[in-house]
Amino acid sequence: MIIVTSDKHAMGFPFKQRGLLMLVCAGAGLSIGLVCVVLGNRSNAHFAWVLATLPVLAALLLQTYGSLRRGDFGLDIVAALSMAFALWFGESLAANVVALMYAGGQLLEEFASGRAAREMTALVGRVARTAFRYRNKLLEEVSIAEIAVGDRIMIRQGEVLPVDGTMLSGRAVLDESALTGEAQPVDHHVGDEVLSGTTSIGPVFEIKALRPAADSTYAAVVRLVEKAQNSKAPMARMADRYGLAFLLVTVSMAFTAWLLSGDTRRALAVLVIATPCPLILAVPVAIMSGISLCASIGCLVKDGGVLEALSRVRVAILDKTGTLTHGGARIVAIGNADWVEKDEVLRLAASLDQASGHVMAEVLITAAHERGLQLTPPDSVEEIAGSGLEGRVNGRRVVIGGGSFVKSRSSTENTRAFTESHRPGEAAVTVAIDGIIAGTIVLADPVRSEAIAVLERMRKAGIRRIVLASGDRNDIASHVGKTLGIEQVLGEQTPASKVAAVIAAKSFGPVMMVGDGVNDAPALAAADVGVALGARGTAASSEAAGVVLLVDRLDPLADAIVIARRTVGIARQSVIVGLGLSVVGMCAAAFGYLPPLEGALLQEVIDVAVILNALRALARPDDADIAARRTPGLTRINAEKAV
């Protein structure tokens, strides 16, 4: 039984049909031959076994020829030799058994690989083909390739979003499990960004296309998936490189056994035992299982080599903004006077801010919408650049801005409501109503709620050193590092200095770099494993990284490290045990203790055990624990709401 080669359409048949046909042919020949033996007609039995073996041998020879043309010297050559020599030496039953095991083994391996890759195959299979676009107030069904930025698209219930877009109308209820692994539906409202590849399970809504289909989130995911499916892990490539060496050892052992004993059956038995190779069988199945499992929790590993590198990581370097923090200002506290509610302070401030283009204004307006507050258009607005804003809302005079500016425009100071922010990285917006200071809105880019737990799980998974590398001021970076208990903090980092930090950290072991911005791309490429948050179109960070988190949380990364270590451990275990048993069997055959027929049966048992053991990589470690950590709404759009 040999691992399937990449030529899956040889002989003009689709691979699965060809494998099934060979299995039926070999099985029918074996059955007919055994019936003939029972009836006492051994010559017909011999003929049936030869006839059943020849088609399988012919298919294998064509497959071997294709492999040799590509420079691959795999152990499929040993399978062909074992069948050919068995027929040559008159061991037709052994030849038929090897043919049956070979055909059955190909189907078993294909089933195992398909089972392992089902999460990734499901991702690719969800690509939308057409969409309904508004054109001159009419709906037209168009190919997704025709959708342009700014087009208005209608999404019906049950449809997969064809492009990334912004909600224009209605309420969207999306199944985002294909991208994030999140099982719970996620609500979106007007102004929210929604991602291609998610499925609408609610009422009809409309979006404005943000990117062409080719540059959308899901298109990027599909490209990454296809790259992962077509890749080979270093362990698998090692099997290809050493295939010729193993072939020479096998042939040498068989020839020596024949030369010393004069018994052709011993040489044949050695070839039969060596026919499969657990290294080739176990590694691809295990590695693909690990990649598939990572994809199911929202962590896309680009190829098997990255998964193996992830299993060896000992140092983690993390960017701050957008990685350990959310990457944008949020309200973390609202101080208010006794005579006014917190929501009213925010509502009046956000209403006035509708007349401003300041980045802080957008934060306040978004927060007010999230809380369901009804904003009122302001009038008589006066904006003093760099200081604040003054105007009227619902007939009341409202002033917002820095503390000094608001105090200068207020007749009364309420010290209980007015508090300056002294924590690094925080900013305060003071609000006065009718000349009286009513409250203070404190904004910051808060640390992710899951960050501390994730870093602790990384340490338990084998990460010995964690470094924070941030472009922010040293005091801000140090505050975040102290909050998270990070050993080394590097502030005011440029892209070049982040690369230098990665190179320096390699003295402690393989390095993983985690980031989300364009400025992180060089460091992601320099690290042994680069991890990017979010597969947004063709972002430089996602292209440079070997791992892409499809959900705006760090939880899947810690799970992926555990999965990678377990997957590689299972692959090595399968290789060591499988090869060890095969070598023992070859030695026994060389000394005459294991005939060809029994050797073929024994080797098949070893191969089945190796594949089944490799499939253990599909089982999630601490599955219940992983599920418990996956809370509803794990998306960039619906990240945890501010206080």
Side-chain angles (χ1 to χ4, degrees):
M1 182 177 70
I2 305 303
I3 188 71
V4 180
T5 69
S6 60
D7 184 9
K8 296 192 175 183
H9 294 280
M11 297 181 65
F13 290 103
F15 174 74
K16 289 185 178 180
Q17 295 180 14
R18 178 166 58 88
L20 182 60
L21 182 61
M22 288 193 300
L23 181 65
V24 170
C25 181
L30 181 63
S31 301
I32 293 172
L34 292 176
V35 170
C36 291
V37 170
V38 171
L39 296 177
N41 193 337
R42 297 194 65 88
S43 60
N44 285 344
H46 173 74
F47 178 75
W49 291 331
V50 171
L51 194 62
T53 303
L54 288 176
V56 180
L57 178 58
L60 180 54
L61 289 174
L62 286 176
Q63 186 170 292
T64 302
Y65 174 71
S67 298
L68 291 174
R69 289 189 62 183
R70 294 189 300 272
D72 296 335
F73 295 90
L75 293 181
D76 46 0
I77 299 176
V78 181
L81 288 176
S82 63
M83 277 188 266
F85 278 104
L87 293 178
W88 179 266
F89 294 133
E91 294 284 348
S92 56
L93 177 57
N96 196 168
V97 170
V98 172
L100 180 65
M101 299 305 180
Y102 169 74
Q106 287 208 355
L107 286 180
L108 177 61
E109 195 274 339
E110 179 68 14
F111 166 77
S113 294
R115 169 76 172 83
R118 67 179 183 178
E119 296 287 350
M120 301 178 70
T121 302
L123 281 172
V124 177
R126 290 170 52 87
V127 178
R129 306 298 178 189
T130 61
F132 285 93
R133 178 178 65 183
Y134 284 95
R135 181 70 71 190
N136 298 324
K137 297 183 180 181
L138 297 176
L139 273 175
E140 59 178 356
E141 186 173 8
V142 297
S143 167
I144 64 169
E146 298 179 41
I147 298 176
V149 175
D151 280 352
R152 186 179 170 195
I153 308 297
M154 184 181 75
I155 307 297
R156 301 176 297 178
Q157 185 174 19
E159 288 185 337
V160 176
L161 273 65
V163 294
D164 300 340
T166 302
M167 292 279 297
L168 291 178
S169 67
R171 166 179 170 263
V173 182
L174 300 181
D175 174 4
E176 301 183 346
S177 58
L179 284 180
T180 68
E182 171 53 50
Q184 300 295 326
V186 181
D187 284 349
H188 293 277
H189 303 280
V190 174
D192 287 353
E193 182 179 345
V194 289
L195 303 181
S196 56
T198 58
T199 303
S200 173
I201 57 175
V204 175
F205 62 94
E206 297 171 10
I207 65 172
K208 180 177 72 173
L210 290 177
R211 305 175 186 90
D215 295 333
S216 68
T217 297
Y218 204 68
V221 171
V222 169
R223 287 194 295 271
L224 297 178
V225 167
E226 290 173 342
K227 181 178 179 181
Q229 288 179 320
N230 294 328
S231 71
K232 280 189 175 183
M235 291 176 70
R237 290 195 296 267
M238 183 178 68
D240 295 337
R241 290 197 304 268
Y242 292 104
L244 179 59
F246 193 89
L247 171 63
L248 294 176
V249 169
T250 299
V251 173
S252 298
M253 184 179 291
F255 180 76
T256 302
W258 183 14
L259 185 65
L260 295 179
S261 67
D263 187 356
T264 58
R265 286 170 55 85
R266 292 192 185 187
L268 178 59
V270 171
L271 292 175
V272 168
I273 293 289
T275 296
C277 180
L279 179 62
I280 305 179
L281 289 170
V283 174
V285 172
I287 295 297
M288 184 56 70
S289 297
I291 292 176
S292 179
L293 184 54
C294 287
S296 73
I297 62 171
C299 182
L300 184 58
V301 179
K302 289 187 178 180
D303 57 53
V306 173
L307 188 76
E308 287 192 50
L310 188 62
S311 73
R312 299 191 299 269
V313 164
R314 292 294 179 269
V315 182
I317 301 179
L318 300 98
D319 177 47
K320 182 188 78 69
T321 305
T323 302
L324 292 174
T325 65
H326 288 282
R330 292 165 177 245
I331 296 177
V332 295
I334 299 178
N336 61 302
D338 295 337
W339 51 271
V340 63
E341 298 292 332
K342 291 183 179 181
D343 279 356
E344 182 65 5
V345 172
L346 176 59
R347 187 188 74 82
L348 292 173
S351 294
L352 183 58
D353 260 337
Q354 292 178 108
S356 174
H358 195 278
V359 63
M360 290 293 190
E362 183 179 350
V363 174
L364 266 58
I365 293 169
T366 300
H369 283 312
E370 289 178 348
R371 296 177 184 226
L373 304 180
Q374 187 68 40
L375 302 186
T376 304
D379 55 53
S380 304
V381 179
E382 178 187 5
E383 182 168 8
I384 291 79
S387 297
L389 205 64
E390 182 176 0
R392 304 193 71 84
V393 178
N394 295 129
R396 310 186 73 174
R397 188 169 70 89
V398 180
V399 182
I400 60 175
S404 300
F405 170 76
V406 175
K407 282 192 291 183
S408 69
R409 304 238 171 172
S410 304
S411 58
T412 304
E413 179 180 331
N414 186 328
T415 55
R416 293 181 58 188
F418 177 70
T419 56
E420 290 282 5
S421 170
H422 297 289
R423 296 176 62 185
E426 290 186 348
V429 176
T430 304
V431 182
I433 302 173
D434 294 330
I436 302 174
I437 293 179
T440 302
I441 303 173
V442 181
L443 302 106
D445 183 10
V447 171
R448 293 176 181 270
S449 59
E450 77 276 11
I452 294 178
V454 169
L455 295 182
E456 182 59 30
R457 286 171 46 222
M458 284 184 181
R459 292 185 177 97
K460 290 182 179 179
I463 302 297
R464 296 196 292 259
R465 186 177 183 83
I466 297 178
V467 180
L468 171 61
S470 173
D472 286 330
R473 299 195 318 265
N474 283 316
D475 60 331
I476 297 176
S478 296
H479 174 71
V480 173
K482 183 178 180 180
T483 301
L484 297 175
I486 295 177
E487 300 90 344
Q488 182 180 3
V489 177
L490 304 174
E492 301 179 8
Q493 295 288 292
T494 64
S497 59
K498 285 186 179 182
V499 172
V502 168
I503 295 173
K506 289 187 177 183
S507 61
F508 297 95
V511 176
M512 173 180 69
M513 172 70 195
V514 186
D516 76 326
V518 173
N519 63 322
D520 296 319
L524 293 175
D528 296 284
V529 178
V531 181
L533 271 75
R536 296 303 181 106
T538 58
S541 59
S542 295
E543 293 296 326
V547 177
V548 179
L549 298 181
L550 305 179
V551 54
D552 192 34
R553 288 178 67 93
L554 294 173
D555 303 68
L557 179 57
D559 293 332
I561 295 172
V562 175
I563 290 170
R565 296 197 193 288
R566 183 172 180 270
T567 296
V568 173
I570 288 174
R572 288 201 178 105
Q573 180 189 78
S574 297
V575 167
I576 292 171
V577 173
L579 280 180
L581 292 175
S582 294
V583 170
V584 170
M586 290 168 63
C587 292
F591 285 100
Y593 296 111
L594 196 60
L597 180 59
E598 287 80 353
L601 295 173
L602 175 62
Q603 189 58 64
E604 180 63 17
V605 172
I606 294 173
D607 290 337
V608 171
V610 162
I611 290 179
L612 293 178
N613 185 65
L615 280 175
R616 289 195 302 114
L618 277 173
R620 288 178 183 157
D622 300 322
D623 192 52
D625 184 43
I626 291 178
R629 291 192 295 269
R630 294 164 74 186
T631 56
L634 303 183
T635 68
R636 181 180 296 272
I637 310 303
N638 289 313
E640 87 177 51
K641 293 186 178 180
V643 177

